[in-house]
Amino acid sequence: MRNGVLTIMKKELDRFFGDRRMVFSILMPGILIYVMYCFMGVAMGDAFGVDEDYTPTVRAAGLPASMEPLLQQTGFAVTAGEDEAAAREAVAAQTLDLLLVFPEDFDRITADYEVSSGLPAPNVEIYYNSAATSSAMAYQAVTGLLDAYEAQMVNKFDVNAGGGAYDLATVEDTAGSIFSMMMPLLLMMFLYSGCAAVAPESIAGEKERGTIATMLITPIRRSHIALGKILALAVIAMISAASSTVGTILSLPKMMGGLTDTVNAAIYGAREYLLLAAVILSTVLVMVTIISLLSAFAKTIKEAQTYAVPFMLLVMLLGISGMFGSSGEQGLWAYCIPLYNSVQCMTGIFSFSVLPAGVAVSLGANAAVTLAGVLVLARMFNSERIIFAK
Amino acid sequence: MRELLQVQGLTKTFRLSAKQQKLEKTREKVRTAVDHLSFTAYEGEIFGLLGPNGAGKTTTLRLLATLIRPDSGDAMVDGASVVREPDEVRGRIGFLTSELKLEDCFTPNYLFNFFAGLHKVDPAVRDRRRQELFARFGIDKFAEVKVANLSTGMKQKVSLVVSIVHNPDIIIFDEPTNGLDVLTAKVVTDFLQQLREEGKTIIVSTHIFSLIEKLCDRVGIIISGKMIVCDTLDRVCGGMNLEDRFFDIYRETVGEAE
């Protein structure tokens, strides 16, 4: 058995790796993803960030003496001025970042104000332009300062005033929550893309070109042809998926705005990577098997690709389901559902909450589906209606 | 002489799809492609299957090559049953039809080794046989050229060579000279005669009378899936030329030929 399967596998791999364009087409996505995600991170940083050398400009009307040192803390260029209308126009025109309008005699009226009086509190107006990043940022900074100042005036108690580390989330928790939300969907899509790029060509393509019948008249068993093809396609799809996954993991910190310390795949150890590799391999085998079966039904590559579209939507849907569910909430029965179990396992692995029994059930279920698929594919290779369909 | 191929009551029907029924303007749902076909081929002879298009020649050869299963009947190929031991049968025959194609991205060398691997041919034997066959067909100069870049005739030669990589005793050719230029056709027919001299049994299907007359020791005439006549070429012709004799038989069986 081994020789026949290996001969078919070798031929499939030679056909693939003998074609530079095909090799390029599976390695390219990883490079493209890296470049694209890095570019997106830089572009988003540029769009939503402010140049470090930039000093926001603030005009203050009726600026009370108590506020001057407070506003100095911001490091903004604060100037006093009373022409409110002109300043509002400047904010609208994005030539001025903020306009602060304090009520007259601000210090006295705030000192005299009683909350229990039921009267409206003195109001500070802050005009800003949300379309300008520098203005929106200055607005947030000044609002925060004034809120803190107001809290000081009526200070009854403090929250987290000790300066200690109150956020108890570890780096693993933070990175895990980001990776477990994004990676299962991305991985499922990468794996599908890898499988869909090669399986229709290998099965439907051979039918279309008439080369499969040439193999079927040799003494090799149909099941060995099916298994050899599925294993070879799985290897190619794995390489494609690995390229995309490495590209994503390397570029994710950059896409998240340079969070290279927090969002770093190095937080995962050998155990997580081994489990992930096992889950990915079994997922690829299921995907390749399903696409191979669809391709065997099809008369042409184009027809096979059309048949695979509903399957792609299903894979996407399953990938998205990982963004809203936790692997810990599922019973073991859920791990018997092919592909859904893959998403659950990936979510668990990335969030450090994987159920080992769940992974074991998933690998078993996926292996059973692959085996059943190989047998069905072998039967299809025996069917004249399928092999000689016109 | 040893009987290397015994075909006994081989029958194959196909279900016609609605599309086919519409296309052929017929209401029949099942068509009998091969109808209780029986014949024998002996060691060291070339047996010709002659018949018009659609007579069931290709279906018969596909049944013998175990590419499809018969509805009833059986054929023993050097002692192995096409129904019960298809893997055995495929190891004992060489099968070539113009429907079988080679992958364009590989070289003749690669394909020869690949098919030798599927037939479990010993590497030393494989290399010797490749040298011999490539030289015989002039493929050696193109051994490392991808099939996509070969001429149609050279592709056909490579197909022929890889189909007999395992040196089978029974060789089945469907329309062996179809689409070949005269020079390549001559190489192929000479090779078939050489194989006969080596004691191989060769089954060829064709509708070319001259090819049957030139090559075959015995001939079977198939019309509408049935074996109408099966005997030595001399006895079938009965002093007439094959073409005239065939149309006599056709008229007797079907009616006036169009």
Side-chain angles (χ1 to χ4, degrees):
Chain A
M1 170 190 167
R2 212 186 62 178
N3 270 351
V5 174
L6 286 181
T7 307
I8 297 294
M9 262 188 90
K10 185 178 176 306
K11 191 256 301 182
E12 290 295 319
L13 293 173
D14 285 342
R15 187 168 62 84
F16 184 81
F17 288 106
D19 187 339
R20 281 183 201 159
R21 283 174 300 180
M22 287 183 93
V23 175
F24 184 72
S25 73
I26 62 157
L27 293 179
M28 202 54 204
I31 300 164
L32 279 178
I33 285 168
Y34 180 77
V35 173
M36 194 175 71
Y37 281 13
C38 289
F39 176 76
M40 279 167 65
V42 171
M44 283 194 290
D46 286 349
F48 302 113
V50 179
D51 188 349
E52 281 178 13
D53 298 332
Y54 180 77
T55 306
T57 49
V58 179
R59 182 81 44 84
L63 181 66
S66 60
M67 282 291 139
E68 279 182 36
L70 196 69
L71 289 175
Q72 292 302 325
Q73 286 177 23
T74 59
F76 298 165
V78 182
T79 53
E82 299 307 320
D83 189 352
E84 287 176 36
R88 267 202 298 271
E89 277 176 26
V91 171
Q94 299 185 13
T95 53
L96 179 69
D97 290 313
L98 281 189
L99 166 64
L100 304 180
V101 181
F102 291 91
E104 201 175 323
D105 209 4
F106 176 77
D107 288 334
R108 189 187 57 76
I109 61 171
T110 50
D112 294 347
Y113 178 71
E114 291 287 341
V115 178
S116 57
S117 69
L119 295 168
N123 182 38
V124 180
E125 294 172 328
I126 307 176
Y127 295 93
Y128 71 107
N129 189 331
S130 61
T133 310
S134 58
S135 179
M137 195 199 74
Y139 172 74
Q140 277 188 351
V142 171
T143 310
L145 267 178
L146 292 179
D147 282 343
Y149 179 73
E150 186 207 17
Q152 268 180 7
M153 290 173 79
V154 288
N155 193 25
K156 301 280 186 183
F157 67 90
D158 291 323
V159 177
N160 285 351
Y166 296 104
D167 183 0
L168 299 180
T170 60
V171 174
E172 282 80 4
D173 291 337
T174 312
S177 67
I178 293 171
F179 276 119
S180 64
M181 195 174 78
M182 299 183 74
M183 286 310 287
L185 170 64
L186 292 173
L187 270 175
M188 291 297 278
M189 291 313 299
F190 296 153
L191 295 176
Y192 171 83
S193 305
C195 298
V198 290
E201 213 284 326
S202 172
I203 311 268
E206 283 224 41
K207 273 179 72 178
E208 193 176 354
R209 294 190 295 270
T211 51
I212 199 155
T214 315
M215 248 191 312
L216 295 178
I217 52 163
T218 65
I220 186 169
R221 287 188 175 179
R222 271 54 168 159
S223 57
H224 294 181
I225 297 177
L227 187 59
K229 275 186 173 283
I230 282 174
L231 289 177
L233 293 173
V235 169
I236 298 165
M238 287 279 286
I239 295 170
S240 169
S243 157
S244 304
T245 306
V246 169
T248 306
I249 285 176
L250 291 179
S251 59
L252 208 54
K254 291 190 169 65
M255 194 178 72
M256 303 295 289
L259 299 176
T260 42
D261 293 332
T262 329
V263 188
N264 190 336
I267 58 163
Y268 297 108
R271 177 177 174 267
E272 282 78 27
Y273 280 114
L274 279 175
L275 283 173
L276 190 63
V279 171
I280 285 178
L281 177 63
S282 79
T283 308
V284 163
L285 285 172
V286 171
M287 284 187 182
V288 162
T289 304
I290 292 172
I291 300 178
S292 296
L293 290 171
L294 295 172
S295 301
F297 266 116
K299 297 182 192 84
T300 61
I301 298 173
K302 202 173 171 186
E303 202 177 304
Q305 286 165 338
T306 308
Y307 290 168
V309 170
F311 179 55
M312 182 192 70
L313 296 175
L314 177 71
V315 169
M316 276 180 72
L317 200 66
L318 291 172
I320 290 168
S321 77
M323 299 175 93
F324 306 110
S326 162
S327 59
E329 294 162 8
Q330 307 288 346
L332 276 182
W333 63 268
Y335 291 89
C336 294
I337 306 168
L339 301 181
Y340 178 72
N341 58 17
S342 307
V343 175
Q344 292 305 309
C345 288
M346 287 176 196
T347 307
I349 291 167
F350 282 115
S351 60
F352 299 96
S353 61
V354 66
L355 289 177
V359 176
V361 171
S362 303
L363 297 181
N366 290 351
V369 169
T370 304
L371 193 65
V374 168
L375 295 176
V376 173
L377 192 60
R379 283 189 73 91
M380 291 170 83
F381 285 159
N382 257 332
S383 164
E384 63 232 52
R385 274 177 170 269
I386 284 169
I387 293 299
F388 297 107
K390 290 207 172 131
Chain B
M1 271 198 296
R2 194 157 72 99
E3 294 177 352
L4 268 188
L5 175 68
Q6 297 152 297
V7 180
Q8 299 145 353
L10 217 51
T11 301
K12 182 69 187 174
T13 56
F14 290 110
R15 202 174 288 275
L16 291 184
S17 64
K19 192 177 162 188
Q20 281 172 306
Q21 284 175 305
K22 198 175 170 187
L23 209 68
E24 296 178 23
K25 293 175 185 163
T26 176
R27 286 189 175 178
E28 63 173 340
K29 290 187 175 168
V30 174
R31 176 164 297 166
T32 305
V34 175
D35 193 358
H36 294 91
L37 204 73
S38 298
F39 65 92
T40 302
Y42 299 94
E43 187 177 11
E45 77 168 9
I46 299 181
F47 183 92
L49 276 176
L50 179 66
N53 286 344
K57 303 188 297 290
T58 298
T59 304
T60 304
L61 297 193
R62 280 182 182 174
L63 287 165
L64 296 179
T66 73
L67 278 172
I68 54 178
R69 280 175 69 88
D71 296 342
S72 63
D74 200 350
M76 302 302 288
V77 178
D78 198 7
S81 157
V82 295
V83 177
R84 294 185 306 277
E85 302 151 293
D87 293 343
E88 281 289 313
V89 170
R90 285 195 290 272
R92 293 176 192 190
I93 60 163
F95 181 60
L96 182 68
T97 154
S98 54
E99 281 180 335
L100 302 181
K101 303 283 189 321
L102 298 173
E103 292 209 51
D104 277 356
C105 57
F106 292 124
T107 64
N109 240 347
Y110 185 95
L111 288 168
F112 194 91
N113 292 348
F114 170 66
F115 282 100
L118 294 184
H119 283 284
K120 298 186 179 114
V121 179
D122 178 75
V125 176
R126 174 198 70 194
D127 291 345
R128 207 167 45 243
R129 189 153 172 77
R130 185 182 55 226
Q131 215 171 358
E132 175 192 316
L133 288 171
F134 277 23
R136 175 84 171 78
F137 287 94
I139 300 171
D140 36 10
K141 284 174 280 199
F142 304 95
E144 290 302 334
V145 177
K146 283 187 180 174
V147 169
N149 300 324
L150 297 177
S151 66
T152 308
M154 190 53 73
K155 280 181 189 169
Q156 189 75 358
K157 286 179 186 175
V158 177
S159 296
L160 169 62
V161 162
V162 299
S163 70
I164 54 169
V165 62
H166 52 305
N167 198 13
D169 285 334
I170 300 174
I171 298 152
I172 301 170
F173 281 157
D174 189 12
E175 306 284 1
T177 56
N178 233 16
L180 296 183
D181 64 84
V182 286
L183 293 175
T184 313
K186 170 93 170 83
V187 173
V188 171
T189 51
D190 287 352
F191 183 62
L192 293 182
Q193 285 169 323
Q194 186 200 316
L195 288 174
R196 171 173 54 192
E197 281 160 26
E198 289 171 11
K200 310 285 186 194
T201 302
I202 299 152
I203 317 292
V204 293
S205 93
T206 184
H207 56 264
I208 304 170
F209 300 109
S210 60
L211 191 71
I212 295 273
E213 284 174 322
K214 183 180 176 186
L215 283 178
C216 297
D217 304 295
R218 295 194 315 122
V219 63
I221 293 177
I222 303 184
I223 296 171
S224 303
K226 291 189 174 119
M227 184 67 85
I228 307 299
V229 180
C230 181
D231 212 329
T232 61
L233 186 61
D234 290 342
R235 285 199 196 131
V236 168
C237 289
M240 297 168 73
N241 72 47
L242 182 61
E243 188 172 350
D244 292 341
R245 180 67 187 125
F246 173 81
F247 284 114
D248 280 351
I249 293 168
Y250 190 87
R251 270 192 294 270
E252 285 162 19
T253 312
V254 181
E256 198 62 38
E258 285 178 14

